[in-house]
Amino acid sequence: MEAKEILGLDVGAIRTGIARASNVARLAEPLMSVPTKDAINTVRKYTSEHQVEAIVVGLPRNLSGEETKQTQWIREWTDKAKQKLATPAYWQDEALTSELAARKIQTSKFKHQNSDEHSLAAAIILQDFLDGAEADRMTV
């Protein structure tokens, strides 16, 4: 099996966290955080320089699993991104990932080059996707 990467995105109104994982090792790691206005171009550049087989976008919903205004905004952002990216994309529920990332950073000595709570949240989203059943994956 040829090693390819999968990217995870935690898209926010101001910043977007990006994580990566090998499709062989299947361990997500924070990659970077960029201004959301630059995220699509950053992902496009990264996918042109690396073999990326899929992009996983965190899908925010409330704790009851219902969609919110933020869910709709992410869906619209992702629709725009898909027009500029040729890579297959999937949704991953991102419930509480930002809070978990912030807590991990505060309560540990978590330090990773170029990482912050946004890229760590993206890594959590991506790891949840990788750990989930393939039959449960939601394509964008």
Side-chain angles (χ1 to χ4, degrees):
M1 174 186 283
E2 184 180 346
K4 293 185 178 182
E5 291 185 35
I6 301 170
L7 292 183
L9 303 180
D10 178 42
V11 182
I14 298 171
R15 295 201 66 76
T16 294
I18 304 172
R20 69 176 172 201
S22 158
N23 68 349
V24 176
R26 302 181 65 82
L27 293 172
E29 67 172 333
L31 183 60
M32 69 182 92
S33 176
V34 298
T36 296
K37 65 180 180 56
D38 300 332
I40 295 171
N41 287 334
T42 300
V43 170
R44 184 172 51 203
K45 183 176 188 292
Y46 190 89
T47 58
S48 72
E49 295 171 354
H50 299 83
Q51 293 188 325
V52 177
E53 73 173 84
I55 297 169
V56 178
V57 180
L59 186 64
R61 293 186 266 196
N62 66 23
L63 294 178
S64 302
E66 298 166 337
E67 297 206 358
T68 66
K69 287 182 183 178
Q70 187 181 9
T71 310
Q72 185 58 40
W73 182 84
I74 292 293
R75 287 187 185 280
E76 290 169 6
W77 184 92
T78 304
D79 285 344
K80 290 176 193 168
K82 277 185 62 175
Q83 294 172 14
K84 297 180 180 183
L85 303 169
T87 309
Y90 296 88
W91 295 115
Q92 176 61 44
D93 184 16
E94 69 163 33
L96 303 175
T97 55
S98 294
E99 291 85 354
L100 178 59
R103 196 166 49 241
K104 277 188 173 197
I105 288 174
Q106 290 173 351
T107 62
S108 72
K109 296 185 188 252
F110 178 84
K111 296 286 181 228
H112 190 278
Q113 180 181 353
N114 298 324
S115 68
D116 59 13
E117 68 184 67
H118 303 287
S119 60
L120 181 55
I124 294 167
I125 290 165
L126 181 54
Q127 194 64 56
D128 286 349
F129 175 83
L130 294 169
D131 292 344
E134 278 192 46
D136 294 336
R137 293 183 177 169
M138 301 175 288
T139 56
V140 170

